[in-house]
Amino acid sequence: MKFTRVFAFMALAGLAGSAYATNGYFSHGYGMKAKGMGGAATAMSDDAFGGANNPASMAFVGNRLDLGVDLFSPRREASRTGSAGLDGSADSDSKYFLIPEFGYNHMYTPDLALGVTVYGNGGMNTNYSGGQINCGGGPANLLCGSGKLGVDLMQLIVAPTAAYKLAPNHSIGISPLIGYQRFKAEGLQAFSGMSSDSTNLTNRGYDDSFGYGVRIGYMGKLSPTVTIGAAYASKMKFDEFSKYKGLFAEQGGFDIPENYNLGVAWDATPLVKLALDYQRINYASVNSIANPSNNAFPLGTDNGPGFGWQDINVWKLGVEYKYSQQMTLRAGYNHGDNPIQARDAMFNILAPGVVKDHMTLGFTYTLASGNELTMAYMHAFKNDVTGPDGLGAGGTDKIQMYQNSLGIQYSWKM
């Protein structure tokens, strides 16, 4: 019965759209317990989301199944002012997304854990209506194309995980990462003249691709009150989006960048735990994400324009308080660098991943059966980036976003 739930949820996760754009386009956390603590999870072993956080943690998790879903609501706006007749503004119409995730772990022996984590790595989604401006040929969207303007990127990762205790308080783990992503773009007709393949630039419907990578991790309980953790995820190499080889650099390439995280958790008192994570996301290793938008090469070539995203550092701080035997309360703060520079503001109308600061709250209630109900809330504060417009009419482009999410998770202990 429990395995039926797992595979049904895998099917649901595979069909769900993703619209994360918190730490760049990575989620602020994976698993509702981590999400309630600002995403801090590298040195925590409270659920079966080690495949997304730290594979080594699964050796200390026990037998459990965690099913969760997030209602994610990003609010994005783009505008242009001071131009010669091309001023306008638009809000993205897509505002609510359901994003499922799950984790399963089984202690095959007292020292060996086998499990799987399925999660949405992140994504970018914008959906602006057209008709805000007139570029000389009638009503047009903010980038002078016809009809709606926007992109939709969804990334799903399945992470089978193995963790082994080298000693009673030290473990290592590995998660092969199997990825699926799909993408579409609309309303970019005005860029046809600067594309290496204008027939595969925009309005081609959804395209999908598969990729692979690996995450490895270590966890060590240095004392009864202090735990440390570290994890590294390689770049996930994906097949090219052939329908958009005239848009993305490297003929439609769109890989997931390498990233790593370090963490420490401290039981300050028997009732209070503090956790601190540092994460590095190396967007610069993926040309289609990192190439400056003003590169003087055709779109779709190796050095073609991209989103201009920089590598970012992310700090995650969380606190957990055992209010009672049944109730655990959580709060957190997450600060990440903004990957987008002023020069790339216009191109990032498509992907305004500019938020930096997040506050989170959460709780877990343990039922009489021993199973758990967990909820987490996140608010990402509004941030914006302004920069010179590149349509040739002067002016300044401004992109801005804020976010809210509310998630629920049910966990079976087996």
Side-chain angles (χ1 to χ4, degrees):
M1 183 67 173
K2 291 184 175 68
F3 285 102
T4 301
R5 293 192 192 105
V6 169
F7 290 112
F9 205 76
M10 285 182 70
L12 174 62
L15 294 174
S18 180
Y20 284 123
T22 54
N23 297 137
Y25 71 83
F26 282 42
S27 173
H28 72 288
Y30 300 95
M32 294 305 159
K33 292 183 178 180
K35 289 178 179 178
M37 296 183 68
T42 309
M44 304 286 284
S45 54
D46 295 325
D47 57 28
F49 287 95
N53 296 314
N54 182 358
S57 68
M58 301 285 252
F60 299 101
V61 165
N63 300 320
R64 62 183 295 132
L65 171 65
D66 299 290
L67 302 180
V69 63
D70 228 359
L71 177 62
F72 180 66
S73 179
R75 304 301 174 101
R76 294 138 298 168
E77 181 181 349
S79 61
R80 181 177 300 111
T81 57
S83 69
L86 299 183
D87 286 1
S89 66
D91 295 338
S92 180
D93 292 333
S94 301
K95 297 177 180 177
Y96 296 98
F97 304 87
L98 284 174
I99 304 172
E101 58 185 5
F102 88 85
Y104 172 75
N105 193 61
H106 177 70
M107 299 303 299
Y108 188 73
T109 72
D111 294 327
L112 176 64
L114 300 176
V116 62
T117 302
V118 178
Y119 62 100
N121 176 70
M124 299 182 290
N125 175 286
T126 45
N127 182 16
Y128 304 103
S129 60
Q132 292 84 15
I133 60 177
N134 188 327
C135 299
N141 59 48
L142 284 178
L143 294 182
C144 284
S146 60
K148 293 182 179 180
L149 170 68
V151 297
D152 187 12
L153 171 70
M154 184 276 284
Q155 294 177 328
L156 173 74
I157 297 176
V158 179
T161 302
Y164 182 74
K165 290 182 182 177
L166 300 171
N169 294 321
H170 298 271
S171 65
I172 56 174
I174 184 169
S175 297
L177 303 176
I178 305 164
Y180 166 80
Q181 61 181 1
R182 68 174 187 170
F183 175 82
K184 74 172 181 179
E186 297 178 301
L188 301 178
Q189 296 89 347
F191 293 89
S192 296
M194 57 182 293
S195 173
S196 61
D197 185 352
S198 60
T199 62
N200 289 295
L201 168 69
T202 188
N203 292 73
R204 296 277 285 122
Y206 281 105
D207 197 1
D208 55 20
S209 68
F210 293 87
Y212 59 90
V214 65
R215 177 176 282 108
I216 57 175
Y218 161 79
M219 179 170 281
K221 297 185 176 182
L222 303 185
S223 74
T225 60
V226 177
T227 302
I228 61 172
Y232 170 80
S234 69
K235 178 195 289 189
M236 290 189 68
K237 178 64 178 176
F238 280 80
D239 300 329
E240 288 77 13
F241 288 122
S242 59
K243 291 183 180 180
Y244 294 96
K245 61 184 178 181
L247 173 62
F248 288 136
E250 298 182 303
Q251 298 77 52
F254 204 96
D255 299 332
I256 294 178
E258 68 170 357
N259 57 94
Y260 61 86
N261 41 293
L262 307 170
V264 59
W266 174 44
D267 291 312
T269 76
L271 301 179
V272 177
K273 176 178 286 188
L274 300 174
L276 176 66
D277 277 15
Y278 165 76
Q279 183 180 33
R280 174 77 171 184
I281 306 174
N282 291 327
Y283 289 115
S285 65
V286 181
N287 286 357
S288 53
I289 300 172
N291 285 356
S293 61
N294 58 1
N295 270 12
F297 295 89
L299 284 162
T301 61
D302 290 354
N303 294 314
F307 292 95
W309 284 24
Q310 307 174 94
D311 296 342
I312 66 170
N313 301 305
V314 184
W315 293 93
K316 307 176 181 184
L317 176 64
V319 58
E320 185 177 84
Y321 173 59
K322 294 182 180 179
Y323 177 78
S324 68
Q325 286 292 104
Q326 291 76 35
M327 179 70 77
T328 299
L329 305 177
R330 299 183 182 89
Y333 170 70
N334 175 306
H335 174 80
D337 298 333
N338 173 14
I340 298 172
Q341 303 176 66
R343 71 172 185 215
D344 303 300
M346 187 190 77
F347 207 68
N348 279 282
I349 289 173
L350 297 172
V354 298
V355 295
K356 297 192 298 183
D357 296 299
H358 316 68
M359 295 296 295
T360 66
L361 295 171
F363 71 85
T364 293
Y365 185 80
T366 302
L367 306 173
S369 62
N371 296 335
E372 299 172 341
L373 179 67
T374 300
M375 295 191 71
Y377 168 75
M378 180 274 292
H379 176 74
F381 294 92
K382 182 183 289 187
N383 192 42
D384 63 72
V385 169
T386 60
D389 179 63
L391 292 180
T396 299
D397 289 333
K398 180 179 180 180
I399 54 175
Q400 57 185 333
M401 177 167 60
Y402 70 92
Q403 303 166 347
N404 291 286
S405 70
L406 181 64
I408 187 169
Q409 173 181 304
Y410 191 85
S411 304
W412 290 264
K413 291 185 177 180
M414 296 173 284

